[in-house]
Amino acid sequence: TPKHIPVAGGWNMVGPFELNARVAGITSTPPGIIQTPFYGYNSGYSVADTLKIGKGYWVKVSQNGTLHLSTTLAKIAEAAHQAFDDWLKVELEDNTGAKGFLFLARRDQMKGSYELPPIAPSGVLDLRFSNNAFVEQLGTGRHELQLNSALYPVQLRAFNLNGWVLNVRDGVNGRLLNELLDEGRSITISQNLSRLILYESN
C-alpha cells in the first residue's frame, strides 16, 4: 500500500517509516510538483534510487502537496539514474577520503532539475556548481565550481571525457592553479581554493 507524506513548497526532508520505497514509483498530488531528484547524504549529497527506512532524503517541490510512496516490488527502469555513469564526471576527493561528484551532460541528455539541497553544515565536504546544481550543460564553455569545508590537499579527477578537453583554474586569475584535467589523472590542489573554474573545449 502507498504511504502518503505531506510536503510544503520548497525543500523538504522525507523518508519512509515501514518499508523501503523505490524513487521511480513515487507520485504526487497535485501531479508534477517534484522538481529535483531525491538526495541522500553520505559524506556529501548523492542521488537516491531507493528511500530506505529510517533515513532522511531532501527533495524540492513546487507547491504544497502530498507524496505517495509505492512500496510494491515492481521492477521499474532506472535509466535516468544509470545515465550518470556515461556523463562526463568530475570527482574531488579531500584529505579525509570524502568525495564530491559533478557531471557535464549534453542538453538532450538532461532531464528535469539537478538543483542540490542547501549547503551542508560546516566541516562536511560540499561540492557544487555555482548555480547550486550538480549537473551542467556540456558545450557552454565555462563552469564555476564551489567547494566548501574540504580538508586540503584535495585531488581532482575527470572521467568520460570522450574528446572533451578540460582546463581547471583558480577562481581569480589562474596564477595559483592552471592545469589540464586528463582522463583519470589526479591533480593535487594544496591551496585553500573555494572557487574553481572549468574551461571546456573539444
Side-chain angles (χ1 to χ4, degrees):
T1 48
K3 303 297 175 188
H4 311 289
I5 298 176
V7 287
W11 286 103
N12 292 261
M13 186 166 270
V14 301
F17 292 105
E18 297 170 14
L19 289 168
N20 293 345
R22 305 287 292 195
V23 165
I26 295 174
T27 57
S28 67
T29 306
I33 64 172
I34 299 170
Q35 293 184 297
T36 65
F38 287 78
Y39 295 102
Y41 195 86
N42 183 14
S43 300
Y45 292 114
S46 59
V47 175
D49 57 13
T50 302
L51 306 188
K52 296 183 176 170
I53 302 167
K55 303 278 187 188
Y57 300 86
W58 285 100
V59 66
K60 190 176 188 182
V61 295
S62 58
Q63 65 184 82
N64 294 356
T66 306
L67 301 184
H68 309 288
L69 309 188
S70 169
T71 53
T72 61
L73 297 177
K75 268 197 163 184
I76 299 163
E78 292 172 29
H81 190 69
Q82 291 170 344
F84 299 135
D85 296 341
D86 303 322
W87 292 357
L88 195 159
K89 178 169 79 170
V90 176
E91 174 189 293
L92 183 137
E93 182 177 0
D94 82 357
N95 207 29
T96 68
K99 290 183 179 181
F101 302 95
L102 297 176
F103 298 90
L104 297 173
R106 295 193 321 268
R107 185 183 181 89
D108 64 311
Q109 293 173 313
M110 297 171 70
K111 307 273 189 282
S113 168
Y114 300 99
E115 183 183 355
L116 282 166
I119 291 174
S122 182
V124 179
L125 176 67
D126 186 278
L127 178 67
R128 60 185 62 210
F129 290 114
S130 59
N131 65 356
N132 281 328
F134 74 99
V135 180
E136 280 196 350
Q137 185 183 328
L138 191 56
T140 56
R142 181 183 184 277
H143 307 276
E144 185 174 320
L145 284 59
Q146 288 183 343
L147 179 57
N148 293 285
S149 298
L151 193 65
Y152 289 82
V154 299
Q155 306 290 322
L156 195 65
R157 303 177 192 94
F159 302 93
N160 301 329
L161 288 172
N162 293 320
W164 287 90
V165 177
L166 288 184
N167 179 261
V168 60
R169 300 180 199 168
D170 65 75
V172 185
N173 54 21
R175 286 186 190 163
L176 296 174
L177 178 68
N178 189 345
E179 296 259 4
L180 277 178
L181 267 175
D182 294 323
E183 181 80 27
R185 181 177 75 90
S186 284
I187 290 175
T188 301
I189 304 171
S190 47
Q191 303 96 331
N192 188 338
L193 301 175
S194 60
R195 200 162 65 100
L196 301 171
I197 311 293
L198 278 183
Y199 293 93
E200 54 165 66
S201 56
N202 67 352

